[in-house]
Amino acid sequence: MPKTFEDLKKFWHVEILESSSKFSWMKLYRRISRSNSSNCLFWLRLSQYLYASSNRTLKSYGKRINKSLTRKFGVEIMLGAEIDIGLSLGHPIAIVVSRAARIGKNCSIRQCTTIGLSRQIDAPFIHIGDNVSIGAHTCIIGNNLTIGDNVTIGAASFVNKDIPSDMTYITRKESTLRPKN
């Protein structure tokens, strides 16, 4: 989560401009005007930065921006969620991340993904490590879950238990075809 304005620029540089060259406001503007994913990341990081401020006015602007992300993209990444640098949103639609989420560096979250708590308890967290790729239509639900570093979670997976580092996780679903007669 960006704490200072320099941190905010660094987050934008890595996540939107992909740190290919020197930071440029013009390149940033062009990228966010052409890409929904970049636009969503820009406003998400700005809302997190404003919400972390001790100024009540800036904090309320952060809340407003975050609510507009929900209306425009259907992305509800709550302001208490701590997401490190390198976040990637493949298709920013129908993504929900609880404020209890603690996500490491270089995490990729695809469309229709939910990361949340199964019930309210004292100080619950969902820890997601560095370099984690979360497939589309994935549901990560639980209390005090830990997903290690370098994990790939397949599409349409349901995660309700810890996943150690350097693993690929998929949920197997079996389809059965039977004749009607």
Side-chain angles (χ1 to χ4, degrees):
M1 232 164 81
K3 304 273 188 242
T4 66
F5 187 70
E6 288 304 314
D7 285 348
L8 180 62
K9 278 178 57 175
K10 184 178 177 187
F11 275 66
W12 285 338
H13 193 206
V14 170
E15 296 172 354
I16 298 172
L17 299 176
E18 298 160 357
S19 60
S20 57
S21 60
K22 189 177 162 189
F23 183 86
S24 162
W25 288 105
M26 186 55 81
K27 285 182 186 177
L28 182 68
Y29 174 75
R30 271 185 288 187
R31 187 68 59 95
I32 65 174
S33 64
R34 295 178 182 165
S35 165
N36 277 345
S37 179
S38 296
N39 191 313
C40 185
L41 281 170
F42 175 84
W43 291 109
L44 170 69
R45 292 307 190 178
L46 182 62
S47 72
Q48 289 177 331
Y49 168 72
L50 293 173
Y51 184 75
S53 171
S54 58
N55 184 321
R56 285 181 23 193
T57 305
L58 293 178
K59 193 178 280 274
S60 72
Y61 284 140
K63 288 178 184 178
R64 275 193 210 167
I65 292 169
N66 194 272
K67 284 181 183 177
S68 72
L69 283 175
T70 304
R71 284 190 300 271
K72 183 174 182 181
F73 296 104
V75 172
E76 188 177 357
I77 298 177
M78 295 180 190
L79 287 170
E82 293 179 14
I83 304 171
D84 212 340
I85 198 165
L87 177 65
S88 170
L89 302 175
H91 299 286
I93 188 162
I95 296 172
V96 178
V97 178
S98 167
R99 66 177 44 93
R102 305 294 178 258
I103 300 175
K105 294 180 170 128
N106 304 318
C107 181
S108 175
I109 302 174
R110 288 171 188 79
Q111 68 272 17
C112 302
T113 296
T114 300
I115 301 171
L117 301 173
S118 60
R119 58 188 152 76
Q120 294 294 334
I121 61 171
D122 294 334
F125 289 107
I126 298 172
H127 296 278
I128 299 175
D130 296 340
N131 305 313
V132 174
S133 177
I134 302 171
H137 301 278
T138 296
C139 192
I140 301 171
I141 300 288
N143 296 316
N144 298 319
L145 284 180
T146 301
I147 297 172
D149 297 337
N150 305 312
V151 170
T152 301
I153 300 173
S157 292
F158 178 76
V159 179
N160 64 351
K161 57 187 172 188
D162 294 347
I163 302 173
S165 294
D166 302 310
M167 292 290 196
T168 298
Y169 182 94
I170 56 171
T171 300
R172 293 192 187 270
K173 296 175 182 70
E174 293 186 27
S175 298
T176 305
L177 295 175
R178 294 183 191 162
K180 288 185 177 182
N181 296 345

